[in-house]
Amino acid sequence: MSADSPTVLTNEKHQYGSHIDIASSDLKEGLIDFGGDSSLPPPPKLSPEEEKRLWRKIDLRLMPILAAMYLMSFLDRGKWKATDMRLLLTCNARLQGLTTELGLTGAQYNIALTMYFIPYCIFECPANLVLKRFKPSRWLPGITILWGIIMTLMGLVKNYPQLVGVRVCLGVAEAGLFPGVVYYLSIWYPRHMLQFRIGFFFGAASLAGAFSGLLAYGISFMSGTRGMLGWSWIFILEGIATVAVGLTALLVLVDFPATAGFLTPEERSFVIWRKKYDGSSVGEEEHFEMRHFWAAVSDWQVWLHILIYMSVIAPLYGITLFLPTIINSFGFPPAISQLLTVPPYVVATITLYVFAFYSDRFKKRSPFILAGLTLCLIGFSINISKASHGVKYFGTFFVVAGSYSAFPGVVAWLGNNLAGQYKRGIGMAMHIGIGNFSGAIASNIYRSQDSPRFIVGHGVELMFVGIGFICVPAAVIAYTRINKKRDELQRQAVEAGEQCRYTAQELREMGDRAADFRYII
């Protein structure tokens, strides 16, 4: 695009074809370096079937190992943290004698939960910047191996201070996984293909919710082996398994599209340009400058999306941290409580994949987030009531399914609406990092003295759900108004024969503030 050409919003098919033409033109003129590799050929024009085969090829290479890493993240952290999926084991371990053997009293268990989140939230944003500078194929497996070792050591702690110390180390080690993988996927996949991939990756979390109960139940029979109770073996065995997955990831995971050896040069250039021109006809910025940081910090949508994130992640944290405890309050013994956590997570996994598939197909995020919040509202309302234990157990299905199915959409929505690799990486790290402080809240609202109704816990969760019902429509209204305003301005410019006042480079630097960028609703 030249400086004297009008910026016109075109339909997706025409825009897609024009991007290929722009790619070839810019490559010949030396304007684009393909993320550091200017030796790549111009992107080919692929048929829909050829493009589908290419994305399937990429899915098969990336998604299984990323899902396995996240699965182990969730299992290892047990029931400690929902976003990186480690909450399940600790809660199951709690039922296997952790609190008794370590002599935890009063709020010490909840404090130990909380201490994980502080370093985790602090280090998420720096971790995303490190990911871009270092190779993802080394960074992501490396931190996986590190937290696997830490989880193994958690099974050997003997007192409360040691437990807190290991929890802090775990928060530092895991800080880079979830925001790093989401940012990594946003570099590979176009906007309308992102949620299903995040859903597939995050689905490992809900599957881990099911597996952790079964695994904890099985491992509980090892209690007494070598003088250690069942909770110790839960952490040791799954920590070792995590190290094994991390070592495998070192051999399997690839870096960025420009250097992906499993793709041909033509395929690499196609993927780069398919993503680069996904949100704007002039592409997006790829080189870091401090203005990218300030652009993310000062963007209203980042802060609004942080509240939306909290409205979903707080219920997710709460139910993941304390589901076995809640079920145990219904009068079931610990082993049965662990087994009863399995069905809600199975239903949540199915719901998550259905929501993610149709969200990408309809190119809408907000309706499915609102649907998840509605399920949470129903579930928490049932559990805070005086209903029978059977009805309350049924209510947990709504909470687990609603929180887990809405979460990928929340993450994908902001990622879709931030343009520029570094602004998106910083914005998403802030989104997840600050939003995860709600996990510290969720770690302390379910108190043993409130059993079995947990009025305080369920009440606070309902408050977060209410925040979501306010903020999601607010974001939809704001995006809709901005999109309509840009449509009208472009229509007027075309009718008046006005020329674009900005160069292609200036529009690229504007990112999601550019005239031809449209926010996803």
Side-chain angles (χ1 to χ4, degrees):
M1 176 178 291
S2 63
D4 60 351
S5 61
T7 303
V8 181
L9 182 65
T10 59
N11 64 57
E12 185 174 351
K13 183 177 181 181
H14 176 73
Q15 197 174 34
Y16 166 73
S18 68
H19 294 170
I20 297 296
D21 296 333
I22 295 171
S24 301
S25 175
D26 285 356
L27 180 64
K28 292 177 181 177
E29 296 177 14
L31 299 177
I32 304 299
D33 66 354
F34 285 99
D37 189 351
S38 58
S39 65
L40 291 175
K45 293 184 179 180
L46 302 182
S47 68
E49 184 57 35
E50 289 173 331
E51 185 177 357
K52 185 180 296 184
R53 284 199 298 268
L54 173 58
W55 292 119
R56 190 180 303 121
K57 180 179 180 180
I58 295 171
D59 288 339
L60 290 175
R61 182 58 181 260
L62 301 183
M63 300 313 302
I65 188 62
L66 293 176
M69 292 166 67
Y70 202 54
L71 173 65
M72 298 314 301
S73 165
F74 189 83
L75 287 176
D76 289 348
R77 201 176 305 166
K79 290 275 186 186
W80 288 99
K81 178 182 176 299
T83 299
D84 279 315
M85 303 311 135
R86 304 220 174 217
L87 295 168
L88 292 177
L89 282 181
T90 303
C91 202
N92 288 323
R94 184 186 189 185
L95 297 179
Q96 289 297 331
L98 182 150
T99 55
T100 302
E101 185 172 4
L102 298 187
L104 303 184
T105 59
Q108 287 184 333
Y109 174 77
N110 297 79
I111 293 173
L113 289 176
T114 305
M115 291 305 297
Y116 167 88
F117 294 99
I118 297 174
Y120 182 91
C121 297
I122 291 174
F123 284 96
E124 281 192 311
C125 189
N128 258 18
L129 294 177
V130 170
L131 173 68
K132 186 66 178 176
R133 180 170 294 274
F134 295 96
K135 294 182 177 181
S137 62
R138 294 294 177 265
W139 174 254
L140 295 176
I143 60 176
T144 301
I145 294 171
L146 179 60
W147 87 59
I149 293 173
I150 294 173
M151 282 303 303
T152 302
L153 295 177
M154 187 174 289
L156 303 178
V157 299
K158 300 300 182 183
N159 53 52
Y160 173 65
Q162 292 177 3
L163 178 64
V164 171
V166 175
R167 291 286 297 153
V168 171
C169 293
L170 187 64
V172 174
E174 291 188 0
L177 180 68
F178 184 75
V181 171
V182 173
Y183 173 49
Y184 176 66
L185 292 177
S186 75
I187 294 175
W188 277 87
Y189 292 98
R191 293 199 293 172
H192 297 307
M193 298 174 63
L194 186 60
Q195 183 172 338
F196 185 75
R197 272 70 187 186
I198 294 177
F200 183 90
F201 158 69
F202 188 73
S206 50
L207 284 176
F211 289 145
S212 68
L214 292 172
L215 289 172
Y217 176 74
I219 296 174
S220 67
F221 291 102
M222 295 184 63
S223 184
T225 303
R226 295 187 177 274
M228 294 185 290
L229 294 181
W231 71 268
S232 292
W233 287 111
I234 287 175
F235 291 123
I236 292 172
L237 294 180
E238 296 193 10
I240 293 173
T242 298
V243 173
V245 170
L247 292 173
T248 303
L250 283 173
L251 304 176
V252 176
L253 200 64
V254 297
D255 293 316
F256 300 108
T259 57
F262 73 100
L263 298 177
T264 66
E266 291 76 13
E267 289 173 336
R268 283 183 241 164
S269 63
F270 179 87
V271 171
I272 292 170
W273 277 100
R274 184 73 170 87
K275 174 57 192 171
K276 186 177 182 67
Y277 289 115
D278 183 41
S280 172
S281 62
V282 295
E284 65 176 12
E285 285 278 276
E286 296 179 349
H287 306 288
F288 178 72
E289 296 179 18
M290 276 305 297
R291 61 182 175 83
H292 296 138
F293 173 80
W294 296 114
V297 171
S298 62
D299 196 328
W300 63 270
Q301 60 173 326
V302 172
W303 297 101
L304 182 59
H305 275 272
I306 286 173
L307 293 177
I308 296 173
Y309 184 94
M310 286 183 168
S311 74
V312 171
I313 203 66
L316 194 154
Y317 277 128
I319 199 65
T320 307
L321 277 167
F322 294 100
L323 182 59
T325 301
I326 293 172
I327 295 177
N328 185 238
S329 72
F330 297 158
F332 298 105
I336 301 301
S337 297
Q338 290 166 349
L339 291 178
L340 288 176
T341 63
V342 175
Y345 285 105
V346 173
V347 173
T349 303
I350 297 172
T351 307
L352 183 154
Y353 288 137
V354 171
F355 277 27
F357 176 81
Y358 283 104
S359 179
D360 275 352
R361 168 167 288 192
F362 297 141
K363 301 179 181 179
K364 299 286 186 181
R365 304 296 182 222
S366 57
F368 296 92
I369 297 173
L370 288 172
L373 289 170
T374 301
L375 292 176
C376 290
L377 175 63
I378 295 171
F380 283 122
S381 297
I382 291 174
N383 273 273
I384 204 172
S385 70
K386 295 182 179 180
S388 65
H389 291 163
V391 174
K392 287 188 175 183
Y393 176 64
F394 178 68
T396 64
F397 281 76
F398 286 92
V399 177
V400 179
S403 57
Y404 275 80
S405 61
F407 184 77
V410 171
V411 177
W413 198 12
L414 180 62
N416 289 162
N417 289 335
L418 291 175
Q421 289 189 11
Y422 279 99
K423 180 183 178 182
R424 185 167 58 248
I426 295 169
M428 295 181 73
M430 290 174 55
H431 182 219
I432 297 170
I434 298 175
N436 276 337
F437 276 108
S438 61
I441 299 175
S443 301
N444 292 281
I445 58 177
Y446 285 93
R447 306 174 303 178
S448 57
Q449 63 263 37
D450 296 330
S451 178
R453 286 186 66 185
F454 297 103
I455 293 178
V456 172
H458 296 323
V460 172
E461 299 289 26
L462 285 169
M463 177 199 70
F464 277 108
V465 172
I467 292 174
F469 278 117
I470 295 172
C471 293
V472 172
V476 171
I477 292 171
Y479 285 143
T480 301
R481 287 181 175 177
I482 294 173
N483 286 345
K484 287 183 177 180
K485 183 178 180 180
R486 291 178 182 177
D487 287 342
E488 180 62 21
L489 290 175
Q490 286 197 331
R491 185 188 64 80
Q492 293 175 0
V494 172
E495 291 178 351
E498 296 180 3
Q499 305 301 315
C500 182
R501 292 172 292 178
Y502 304 100
T503 65
Q505 179 60 32
E506 288 173 334
L507 288 171
R508 186 175 296 133
E509 291 176 357
M510 292 170 68
D512 50 83
R513 303 298 177 89
D516 69 338
F517 187 93
R518 295 298 180 270
Y519 292 113
I520 289 178
I521 305 299

